[in-house]
């Protein structure tokens, strides 16, 4: 298997998630997974969200301001398509939240932060974790708590779910 795609041509979700996580720190990994996901034309909202996340990582690693803006605009559009395709998907909502969290507000691509935060807190309070395993649930909880975007009431809910 190469770059998150099985020999059969279907995406390997676990490999894609790992590559995207590694891509946060590695432009080479980002380039590789972006190339694979861009070539893989899928109507699956989760795959679309992975592509949007790869686009956002391309923006993060771009040195040219024009390319940064171009990729963040592309990521925003792609993530909107993913959420529209599956609005109750926790994975997709978390990807969009984390992208928008790190996108400078003045660019105007952080409009769904509150909506996604509320959705994530509500899902977590109901233990609706989507495809997240326990380790990922803890990463999401930590990210939400550390984001400083949650209300005091939401923090109480999140801390109740967190395993120390």
């Amino acid at each position: 298997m190469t770059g998150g795609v099985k020999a059969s041509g279907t995406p390997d979700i676990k490999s894609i998630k790992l590559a995207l996580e590694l891509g946060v720190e590695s432009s080479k990994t980002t380039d590789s997974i972006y190339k694979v996901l861009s070539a893989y034309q899928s109507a699956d909202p989760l795959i679309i969200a992975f592509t949007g996340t790869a686009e956002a990582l391309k923006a993060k690693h771009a040195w040219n301001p024009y390319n940064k803006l171009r990729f963040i605009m592309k990521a925003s559009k792609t993530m909107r398509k993913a959420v529209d395709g599956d609005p109750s998907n926790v994975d997709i909502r978390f990807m969009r939240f984390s992208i928008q969290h790190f996108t400078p507000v003045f660019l105007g691509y952080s409009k769904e932060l509150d909506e996604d935060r509320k959705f994530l807190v509500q899902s977590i309070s109901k233990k609706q974790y989507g495809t997240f395993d326990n380790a990922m649930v803890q990463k999401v909880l930590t990210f939400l708590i550390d984001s400083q975007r949650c209300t005091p009431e939401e923090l109480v809910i999140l801390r109740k779910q967190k395993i120390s």
Side-chain angles (χ1 to χ4, degrees), residues 40-52 55 73-87 89 92-93 96 100 112:
Y40 187 78
Q41 299 297 314
S42 175
D44 181 341
L46 185 59
I47 302 300
I48 293 168
F50 289 147
T51 304
E55 292 164 350
M73 288 170 51
K74 195 172 185 181
S76 178
K77 182 178 176 183
T78 303
M79 293 308 293
R80 190 174 313 112
K81 181 178 177 184
V83 172
D84 287 349
D86 191 355
N89 187 304
I92 294 171
R93 291 295 193 101
R96 184 170 73 175
Q100 290 188 359
E112 292 88 11

Coordinates of all heavy atoms in Angstrom, one line a residue, residues 40-52 55 73-87 89 92-93 96 100 112:
Y40 N -7.5 10.6 -6.2 CA -8.6 9.7 -5.9 C -9.9 10.4 -5.9 O -10.3 11.2 -4.9 CB -8.4 9.0 -4.5 CG -9.3 8.0 -4.2 CD1 -9.2 6.7 -4.8 CD2 -10.4 8.2 -3.4 CE1 -10.2 5.7 -4.5 CE2 -11.3 7.2 -3.1 CZ -11.2 6.0 -3.6 OH -12.1 5.0 -3.4
Q41 N -10.7 10.3 -7.0 CA -12.0 11.1 -7.1 C -13.0 10.3 -6.3 O -13.4 9.2 -6.8 CB -12.3 11.2 -8.5 CG -11.3 12.0 -9.3 CD -11.2 13.5 -8.8 OE1 -12.2 14.1 -8.6 NE2 -9.9 13.9 -8.7
S42 N -13.5 10.8 -5.3 CA -14.5 10.1 -4.5 C -15.7 11.0 -4.1 O -15.5 12.2 -3.9 CB -13.9 9.6 -3.2 OG -14.8 9.0 -2.3
A43 N -16.8 10.4 -4.0 CA -18.0 11.2 -3.6 C -18.2 11.0 -2.1 O -19.1 11.6 -1.5 CB -19.3 10.7 -4.4
D44 N -17.4 10.2 -1.5 CA -17.5 9.9 0.0 C -17.1 11.2 0.7 O -16.0 11.6 0.6 CB -16.6 8.7 0.3 CG -16.6 8.4 1.8 OD1 -17.1 9.2 2.6 OD2 -16.2 7.3 2.1
P45 N -18.1 11.7 1.6 CA -17.8 12.9 2.3 C -16.5 12.8 3.2 O -15.8 13.8 3.3 CB -19.0 13.2 3.1 CG -20.1 12.5 2.4 CD -19.5 11.3 1.7
L46 N -16.2 11.7 3.8 CA -15.1 11.5 4.6 C -13.8 11.7 3.8 O -12.8 12.4 4.2 CB -15.1 10.2 5.3 CG -13.9 10.0 6.3 CD1 -13.9 11.1 7.4 CD2 -14.1 8.6 7.0
I47 N -13.7 11.1 2.6 CA -12.6 11.2 1.7 C -12.4 12.7 1.2 O -11.3 13.2 1.2 CB -12.7 10.2 0.5 CG1 -12.8 8.8 1.0 CG2 -11.5 10.4 -0.4 CD1 -11.6 8.3 1.8
I48 N -13.6 13.3 1.0 CA -13.6 14.7 0.6 C -13.0 15.5 1.7 O -12.1 16.4 1.5 CB -15.0 15.2 0.2 CG1 -15.4 14.5 -1.1 CG2 -15.0 16.7 0.0 CD1 -16.9 14.6 -1.4
A49 N -13.3 15.2 3.0 CA -12.8 16.0 4.1 C -11.3 15.7 4.3 O -10.6 16.7 4.6 CB -13.5 15.5 5.4
F50 N -10.9 14.5 4.0 CA -9.4 14.2 4.1 C -8.7 15.1 3.0 O -7.6 15.6 3.3 CB -9.1 12.7 3.8 CG -9.5 11.8 5.0 CD1 -10.0 10.5 4.7 CD2 -9.4 12.2 6.3 CE1 -10.3 9.7 5.7 CE2 -9.8 11.3 7.3 CZ -10.2 10.1 7.0
T51 N -9.3 15.2 1.9 CA -8.7 16.0 0.8 C -8.6 17.5 1.2 O -7.6 18.1 1.1 CB -9.5 15.9 -0.5 OG1 -9.5 14.5 -0.9 CG2 -8.9 16.6 -1.6
G52 N -9.7 18.0 1.8 CA -9.7 19.3 2.3 C -8.7 19.6 3.4 O -8.0 20.6 3.5
E55 N -5.4 19.8 1.7 CA -5.3 21.2 1.1 C -4.9 22.2 2.2 O -4.0 23.1 1.9 CB -6.6 21.6 0.5 CG -6.9 20.7 -0.8 CD -8.3 20.8 -1.2 OE1 -9.2 21.4 -0.5 OE2 -8.6 20.3 -2.3
M73 N -8.4 28.7 0.6 CA -9.7 28.9 0.0 C -10.2 27.6 -0.6 O -11.4 27.2 -0.4 CB -9.5 29.9 -1.1 CG -9.4 31.3 -0.7 SD -8.9 32.5 -1.9 CE -10.1 32.3 -3.2
K74 N -9.3 26.8 -1.2 CA -9.7 25.5 -1.7 C -10.1 24.6 -0.6 O -11.1 23.9 -0.7 CB -8.5 24.9 -2.5 CG -8.7 23.8 -3.4 CD -7.5 23.5 -4.2 CE -7.8 22.4 -5.2 NZ -6.6 22.0 -6.0
A75 N -9.3 24.6 0.5 CA -9.7 23.7 1.7 C -11.1 24.1 2.2 O -11.9 23.2 2.6 CB -8.6 23.8 2.8
S76 N -11.3 25.4 2.3 CA -12.6 25.8 2.9 C -13.8 25.3 2.0 O -14.8 24.8 2.5 CB -12.6 27.4 2.9 OG -13.9 27.8 3.4
K77 N -13.6 25.4 0.7 CA -14.7 25.0 -0.2 C -14.8 23.4 -0.1 O -15.9 22.9 -0.1 CB -14.3 25.4 -1.7 CG -15.3 25.0 -2.7 CD -14.9 25.5 -4.1 CE -15.8 25.0 -5.1 NZ -15.4 25.4 -6.5
T78 N -13.7 22.7 -0.1 CA -13.8 21.3 0.0 C -14.4 20.8 1.3 O -15.2 19.9 1.3 CB -12.3 20.7 -0.1 OG1 -11.8 21.1 -1.4 CG2 -12.3 19.2 -0.1
M79 N -14.1 21.5 2.4 CA -14.6 21.1 3.7 C -16.1 21.4 3.8 O -16.9 20.6 4.3 CB -13.9 21.8 4.9 CG -12.5 21.3 5.1 SD -12.3 19.5 5.2 CE -13.1 19.2 6.7
R80 N -16.5 22.5 3.1 CA -18.0 22.8 3.1 C -18.7 21.7 2.3 O -19.8 21.2 2.8 CB -18.2 24.1 2.4 CG -19.6 24.6 2.5 CD -19.8 26.0 1.9 NE -18.8 27.0 2.4 CZ -17.9 27.5 1.6 NH1 -17.8 27.3 0.3 NH2 -17.0 28.4 2.1
K81 N -18.1 21.2 1.2 CA -18.7 20.1 0.5 C -18.8 18.8 1.3 O -19.8 18.1 1.3 CB -17.9 19.9 -0.8 CG -18.4 18.8 -1.7 CD -17.6 18.6 -2.9 CE -18.0 17.5 -3.8 NZ -17.2 17.3 -5.0
A82 N -17.8 18.5 2.1 CA -17.8 17.4 2.9 C -18.8 17.4 4.0 O -19.6 16.5 4.2 CB -16.4 17.2 3.6
V83 N -18.9 18.6 4.7 CA -20.0 18.8 5.7 C -21.4 18.7 5.1 O -22.3 18.1 5.7 CB -19.7 20.1 6.5 CG1 -20.9 20.3 7.5 CG2 -18.4 20.0 7.3
D84 N -21.5 19.3 4.0 CA -22.9 19.3 3.3 C -23.2 17.8 3.0 O -24.4 17.4 3.0 CB -22.9 20.1 2.0 CG -22.9 21.6 2.3 OD1 -23.1 22.0 3.5 OD2 -22.6 22.4 1.3
G85 N -22.2 17.0 2.6 CA -22.4 15.6 2.3 C -22.8 14.7 3.5 O -23.5 13.7 3.3
D86 N -22.3 15.1 4.7 CA -22.5 14.3 5.9 C -22.4 15.2 7.1 O -21.4 15.1 7.8 CB -21.5 13.1 5.9 CG -21.9 12.1 7.0 OD1 -22.9 12.3 7.8 OD2 -21.2 11.1 7.1
P87 N -23.4 16.0 7.3 CA -23.4 17.0 8.4 C -23.3 16.4 9.8 O -22.9 17.1 10.7 CB -24.6 17.8 8.2 CG -25.5 17.0 7.4 CD -24.7 16.1 6.6
N89 N -21.3 13.9 10.7 CA -20.1 13.1 10.8 C -19.1 13.8 11.8 O -18.6 14.9 11.4 CB -19.4 12.9 9.4 CG -18.3 11.9 9.5 OD1 -17.3 12.1 10.2 ND2 -18.3 10.9 8.7
I92 N -15.5 14.6 10.2 CA -15.5 15.7 9.3 C -15.6 17.0 10.1 O -14.8 18.0 9.8 CB -16.7 15.6 8.3 CG1 -16.4 14.3 7.4 CG2 -16.8 16.8 7.5 CD1 -17.6 14.0 6.5
R93 N -16.5 17.1 11.0 CA -16.7 18.3 11.8 C -15.4 18.6 12.6 O -15.0 19.8 12.7 CB -17.8 18.2 12.8 CG -19.2 18.2 12.1 CD -19.5 19.5 11.3 NE -20.8 19.5 11.0 CZ -21.8 20.2 11.6 NH1 -21.5 21.0 12.6 NH2 -23.0 20.2 11.2
R96 N -12.8 20.1 10.2 CA -13.1 21.4 9.8 C -12.8 22.4 11.0 O -12.2 23.5 10.8 CB -14.5 21.6 9.3 CG -14.8 23.0 8.8 CD -16.1 23.2 8.1 NE -17.2 23.1 9.1 CZ -18.5 23.3 8.7 NH1 -18.8 23.6 7.4 NH2 -19.5 23.3 9.6
Q100 N -10.1 25.4 10.8 CA -10.6 26.8 11.1 C -9.9 27.4 12.3 O -9.7 28.6 12.4 CB -12.1 26.9 11.1 CG -12.7 26.7 9.8 CD -14.2 26.9 9.7 OE1 -14.8 27.3 10.7 NE2 -14.8 26.8 8.5
E112 N -17.5 28.7 10.7 CA -18.3 27.6 11.3 C -17.6 27.1 12.6 O -18.0 26.1 13.1 CB -18.3 26.5 10.3 CG -19.2 26.8 9.1 CD -18.4 27.4 7.9 OE1 -17.2 27.5 8.0 OE2 -19.1 27.9 7.0

